[in-house]
Amino acid sequence: MSLTPAVSPGRGRAGPGSHALRWEAGVVQSVAPPGTTDLGPGYLGPGLLPVDLLAEAYTEAMTGYGAAALAYGDDRGALTLRAALAARGVAGGPRGVLVTAGTSQALHLLATALARPCDAVLVEDSCYDLGRLILTDCGLRPYGVPGDACGMDPQALDAALTRIRPAFVYLNPTFHNPTGRVVPLGRRRELLAVARRHATTIVEDDAYADLRLDGDAGPPALACLDGHRGVIRLGTFSKSLAPGLRLGWLTAEPAVADRLAAHGVFQSGGCPNHTTSLAVATLLERGHYDRHLLWLRERLRERRDALVDVLTARLGDGFALDRPAGGLFVWVRADRGEAGLLAAARRAGVLVAAGSRFAPAPVPASVPGSAAGSGGGAAGAVRLAYGLNRPDELAAAAERLAEVWNAIPRET
C-alpha cells in the first residue's frame, strides 16, 4: 500500500481533515475564551495537525501488522520505530532506544528510576516549568544554576556539583523553553566536560530539535557529542506531528536502556503506545515524516515572523526580544513589571505566559557561585508561543500587545 502525503504546501494546512471540528473544552486540554488570543500553549494548532496523513499511517499499520498492531507491544517499543530512530543518528543502534509516552513520561521515568525522593536535580535558571513540576511531584528538588545568553554557566555548574550530588542535570539546549536560545557548540563541550569530571548524568530534553526554522543544522546534540555515554536524550513527536499521539523516545547507553526497560511500567504492558509507534514508523520508513517537516517548518516560519515582525516594529524602548531560529517560543524582556505586563495583555484580549513561572529556586547559597542564580531575570519577561494561532491572529495580537505594553510606565 502506498501512503500519499496529505500535506500540501499551497494549502496552508495539513490536509482536509485538519480542522477544529471538535476543538472544545472537555475534548482538548485548553480552549481560549471567546474573543481571546492565547499565546500561552506551546503546541501546534488545528491547522497544523496532519489528520489525513496520520489516518492513512494508522490504516497502513493495521493492514501491514494485522492483529499484532493491537497486541501488547515490545517492552522497548516496536523494533521498526527504534530502528528508524537509530538510523537518524542514535549511537548504539535500536538497543539504545526506548519508546515512551512523550518526553513527560520519559522524564517521570527517569525521576523515579534514576533518583530517590529528596534528591537534587540541577536545572537552568529559566527552565521548562512543567518539566520542573514533574520532578517536584516525584519528590525531587530542582535547583537553578546561573547562566547567560549562551545557556548554563559551566563554572557555576562546576561549583554546584562540588557541593551537591544531584540525581542528574536537566538541560534543554536547543530552542530552549522558554527563551528559544540555542546553546553554542563551545558551551556544550564545556558543560559536558564539567559533568564528565563530576561523573554526573545529563538529561537532554530535545523536544524541539526538528523545528529548526532558519540556518543550518545547528550544533550537534549533547548526546551525539558525548557518544551517548553520559547523556540521556529525550525526543518526541508531540511538537512535530501531534501532541495527541503521546509518542516520544529516549536514547541512552544500551546498559542504561536495559535498566529502564526493566521498569514495571514496561514489564506490565509493554510499549505505552504500541499501535501509534507502528503508524509513525511507516511515516519515517517512507520519508513522509521528513516531507511533512518541510511543510511544517514553512508554516511555523510564517507564524513566527508574523508575531516577531510586529513586536519588533511596534514595541518601544525598554523591550528586547530575539527572533528564534526554531522551536515555538519568543521570549520578551522588559523594564516593566511582570504583573503590569500580564494585566495589560489580558485587557487587550491576549493571554501570555508569565516569565516567573519558569524560574526555579536557586542553588542553595552555601554553594560557591550561586548568588547570581535567582531565576535568570524571569521577572519582567513573558513567553509568547506561536504554534497555536494563525499568522493573521498573531499579528493582530502583537499589535494589541505593543499598544498596551508601551503605555506602561518604565521602571528604574
Side-chain angles (χ1 to χ4, degrees), residues 355-373:
S356 59
R357 84 183 214 190
F358 303 97
V363 175
S366 60
V367 178
S370 67

Side-chain angles (χ1 to χ4, degrees), residues 32-402:
T36 300
T37 304
D38 194 352
L39 303 186
Y43 47 74
L44 304 178
L48 299 182
L49 299 177
V51 176
D52 293 0
L53 182 66
L54 285 165
E56 294 184 29
Y58 275 101
T59 298
E60 180 165 357
M62 293 292 188
T63 301
Y65 289 92
L70 301 178
Y72 284 130
D74 182 90
D75 291 353
R76 296 170 178 270
L79 179 59
T80 51
L81 178 60
R82 290 188 287 118
L85 290 169
R88 300 172 80 88
V90 177
R95 189 182 160 206
V97 181
L98 184 66
V99 177
T100 67
T103 55
S104 295
Q105 191 255 341
L107 188 58
H108 185 274
L109 172 67
L110 297 175
T112 53
L114 302 184
R116 295 174 296 180
C118 295
D119 277 356
V121 174
L122 298 182
V123 302
E124 293 144 307
D125 59 358
S126 287
C127 76
Y128 175 40
D129 58 326
L130 299 181
R132 191 174 76 251
L133 177 61
I134 291 171
L135 299 175
T136 301
D137 284 348
C138 291
L140 306 185
R141 297 176 297 166
Y143 293 126
V145 176
D148 54 27
C150 292
M152 184 180 285
D153 180 356
Q155 292 184 341
L157 176 61
D158 186 65
L161 290 174
T162 299
R163 298 294 298 275
I164 292 178
R165 181 65 180 172
F168 49 83
V169 178
Y170 174 60
L171 300 175
N172 174 205
T174 302
F175 309 132
H176 176 256
N177 182 4
T179 68
R181 71 184 171 219
V182 176
V183 175
L185 178 60
R187 178 64 60 87
R188 293 179 185 230
R189 294 191 188 280
E190 291 179 289
L191 291 170
L192 285 171
V194 171
R196 192 178 302 119
R197 187 161 61 249
H198 289 273
T200 300
T201 298
I202 291 178
V203 174
E204 178 182 18
D205 188 339
D206 223 2
Y208 310 99
D210 281 346
L211 300 185
R212 174 166 291 279
L213 307 182
D214 295 326
D216 57 17
L222 294 172
C224 296
L225 290 171
D226 193 60
H228 293 79
R229 294 190 303 274
V231 178
I232 299 174
R233 184 185 182 195
L234 312 184
T236 183
F237 290 106
S238 292
K239 311 302 181 183
S240 58
L241 274 176
L245 299 177
R246 304 310 299 144
L247 181 64
W249 67 93
L250 65 80
T251 64
E253 290 183 273
V256 174
D258 290 345
R259 175 183 172 187
L260 295 172
H263 196 286
V265 71
F266 297 106
Q267 297 290 314
S268 172
C271 175
N273 40 28
H274 172 58
T275 307
T276 296
S277 296
L278 296 176
V280 172
T282 68
L283 299 181
L284 291 170
E285 290 175 331
R286 302 185 188 288
H288 299 315
Y289 175 69
D290 289 313
R291 284 190 285 276
H292 166 74
L293 281 181
L294 292 175
W295 175 89
L296 177 63
R297 288 167 179 154
E298 181 60 32
R299 303 285 81 74
L300 286 176
R301 193 177 298 116
E302 293 169 352
R303 295 180 178 216
R304 178 205 60 186
D305 291 346
L307 179 65
V308 172
D309 286 351
V310 173
L311 290 175
T312 301
R314 299 286 187 266
L315 285 175
D317 293 339
F319 290 91
L321 67 145
D322 300 311
R323 189 183 305 269
L328 295 173
F329 308 112
V330 175
W331 185 241
V332 180
R333 291 92 64 199
D335 59 2
R336 279 75 164 170
E338 180 186 279
L341 295 172
L342 298 178
R346 284 194 298 271
R347 291 194 301 272
V350 183
L351 301 180
V352 301
S356 59
R357 84 183 214 190
F358 303 97
V363 175
S366 60
V367 178
S370 67
S374 57
V382 296
R383 190 197 73 178
L384 311 179
Y386 49 82
L388 181 63
N389 299 282
R390 300 190 311 268
D392 61 316
E393 295 171 327
L394 290 164
E399 292 277 4
R400 301 199 301 274
L401 287 176

